[in-house]
DNA sequence: AGGCGATCCTGAGGGC
DNA sequence: TGCCCTCAGGATCGCC
């Protein structure tokens, strides 16, 4: 579900609830939703059963930051990381939340219920001193998302170093480097998190429309002025979307449960068959990089 | 080596 | 109402 603007909106909304707060206890309801140190490499090892466990699964408590003091919340691309410190030194740990298509990361005040408590895979009970500070909840109906535990902040930094530069701050030079020598369609490149971190299907289509570049153009054949323009439009589109609190198509809400409003400003995403907002020609819709793609034959060359 | 297709899941919405 | 089909904001793996 969420792309960079939605993840950033969650980060901002969750910060005031968690910084300086201690995780009293944490519950994990499905082991396959967590990748912890020592687990086999790769993604989340899916179990066959879809039944939610009534009882928490046992894992080493520090993996879920149990007993740790939360010191920050970081984001790289679509990855969100809780940074926390256990007592007795040893530096910080990190717990990364990947939201996939349908993930939610929510804060609930004491006594505040969830609108829908199904598909809750993990929760963290929070305390400020001895006072109840509510809880954090990870929900993800489709389970394309999950959690990754890192024993040190350096391991998290090293892991996210596999990602490309953050799309909110992408420079023309960085984009030129990503594009160089790539024969794939430019949209496929934008969706590749190792090339550029944070852009997903919505914002790829929106940014390409704004700068007048067809999504199927070969990446390496973009001209220098087009690369500059594309980098500018990526940054600006994402920044505006963050200001609007992200795009809510179906289930996205921030940590406080508030939806975003940027979907009201989508020029092309989800508008195949409608008139182009700039020239009035019918917007084309097709498949590219296995994703529905919408563009204007007139405005994008 | 790099890029493509299939695959992992649940739920919403449309057609009949 | 119900059933069946298609589609969805993502990312990994295996194969060519």
């Amino acid at each position: 579900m969420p792309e960079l603007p939605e993840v950033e909106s969650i980060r901002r909304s969750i910060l005031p609830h968690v910084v300086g707060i201690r995780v009293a206890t944490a519950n994990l309801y499905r082991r396959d939703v967590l990748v912890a140190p020592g687990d086999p490499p790769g993604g989340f090892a899916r179990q066959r059963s879809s039944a939610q466990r009534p009882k928490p699964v046992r894992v080493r408590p520090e993996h879920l930051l149990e007993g740790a003091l939360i010191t920050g919340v970081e984001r790289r691309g679509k990855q969100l990381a809780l940074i926390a410190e256990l007592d007795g030194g040893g530096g910080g740990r990190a717990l990364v939340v990947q939201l996939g298509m349908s993930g939610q990361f929510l804060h609930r005040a004491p006594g505040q219920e969830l609108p829908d408590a199904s598909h809750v895979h993990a929760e963290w009970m929070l305390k400020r001193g001895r006072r109840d500070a509510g809880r954090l909840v990870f929900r993800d109906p489709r389970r394309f998302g999950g959690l990754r535990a890192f024993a040190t902040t350096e391991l998290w930094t090293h892991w996210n170093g596999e990602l490309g530069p953050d799309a909110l701050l992408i420079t023309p030079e960085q984009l030129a480097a990503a594009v160089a020598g790539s024969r794939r369609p430019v949209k496929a490149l934008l969706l590749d998190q190792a090339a550029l971190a944070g852009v997903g299907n919505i914002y790829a289509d929106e940014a390409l429309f704004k700068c007048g570049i067809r999504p199927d153009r070969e990446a390496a054949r973009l001209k220098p002025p087009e690369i500059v323009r594309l980098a500018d439009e990526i940054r600006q589109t994402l920044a505006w979307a963050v200001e609007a609190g992200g795009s809510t198509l179906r289930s996205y809400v921030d940590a406080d449960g508030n939806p975003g409003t940027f979907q009201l400003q989508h020029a092309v995403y989800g508008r195949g068959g409608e008139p182009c907002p700039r020239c009035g020609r019918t917007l084309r819709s097709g498949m590219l990089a296995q994703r529905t793609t919408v563009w204007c034959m007139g405005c994008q060359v």
Side-chain angles (χ1 to χ4, degrees):
Chain A
M1 130 206 183
E3 306 181 30
L4 186 152
E6 292 74 37
V7 178
E8 178 63 15
S9 296
I10 291 172
R11 192 187 73 83
R12 293 182 183 187
S13 55
I14 211 146
L15 265 173
H17 298 302
V18 301
V19 172
I21 300 279
R22 192 171 293 275
V23 178
T25 58
N27 293 332
L28 181 71
Y29 299 104
R30 294 186 61 106
R31 182 61 182 82
D32 62 355
V33 149
L34 172 72
V35 175
D39 286 353
F44 305 105
R46 293 311 185 198
Q47 292 161 4
R48 227 56 186 117
S49 159
S50 62
Q52 189 174 316
R53 309 297 188 280
K55 289 192 152 192
V57 177
R58 292 184 90 90
V59 291
R60 297 180 58 132
E62 65 269 28
H63 290 156
L64 296 173
L65 309 179
E66 232 180 67
L69 190 69
I70 300 177
T71 57
V73 185
E74 299 179 1
R75 181 193 59 74
R76 173 88 178 255
K78 305 172 192 173
Q79 314 295 318
L80 189 70
L82 293 177
I83 309 298
E85 286 182 13
L86 286 162
D87 292 337
R93 302 184 58 91
L95 184 67
V96 171
V97 181
Q98 287 181 265
L99 295 163
M101 288 283 247
S102 58
Q104 296 181 325
F105 197 54
L106 305 160
H107 176 263
R108 297 287 99 166
Q112 187 186 14
E113 296 302 318
L114 291 171
D116 182 352
S118 64
H119 304 291
V120 168
H121 307 311
E123 53 190 339
W124 297 260
M125 314 306 167
L126 307 178
K127 290 238 163 113
R128 181 185 289 282
R130 305 183 67 109
R131 286 222 327 274
D132 183 355
R135 62 192 166 124
L136 295 174
V137 176
F138 173 59
R139 282 191 78 226
D140 185 9
R142 291 179 76 181
R143 271 182 282 130
F144 288 178
L147 309 170
R148 306 187 102 98
F150 294 93
T152 68
T153 54
E154 288 76 19
L155 286 167
W156 139 245
T157 303
H158 181 258
W159 180 80
N160 78 31
E162 305 290 307
L163 299 172
D166 193 79
L168 196 54
L169 304 170
I170 186 76
T171 66
E173 294 74 24
Q174 289 171 325
L175 188 59
V179 150
S182 172
R183 310 209 53 196
R184 350 153 58 172
V186 60
K187 176 172 176 181
L189 183 102
L190 297 184
L191 294 177
D192 182 349
Q193 302 301 296
L196 176 68
V199 173
N201 205 32
I202 296 176
Y203 300 103
D205 279 8
E206 292 296 312
L208 288 166
F209 171 74
K210 285 194 191 169
C211 62
I213 296 172
R214 279 176 58 139
D216 60 354
R217 285 272 300 281
E218 189 180 313
R221 300 178 85 106
L222 292 181
K223 295 171 176 49
E226 291 178 314
I227 294 170
V228 173
R229 181 86 193 280
L230 180 54
D232 288 349
E233 293 296 356
I234 290 169
R235 274 186 278 104
Q236 191 164 72
T237 304
L238 294 175
W240 283 346
V242 168
E243 261 180 65
S247 300
T248 295
L249 301 179
R250 21 174 79 75
S251 60
Y252 166 73
V253 288
D254 72 9
D256 295 316
N258 298 315
T261 60
F262 195 72
Q263 68 281 1
L264 303 173
Q265 297 180 59
H266 291 170
V268 292
Y269 178 85
R271 298 189 181 279
E274 297 180 27
C276 169
R278 188 184 295 147
C279 76
R281 286 179 63 166
T282 302
L283 293 172
R284 284 285 185 90
S285 179
M287 279 304 225
L288 185 56
Q290 287 97 252
R291 313 299 295 278
T292 298
T293 300
V294 183
W295 76 100
C296 175
M297 295 287 288
C299 297
Q300 293 171 264
V301 295

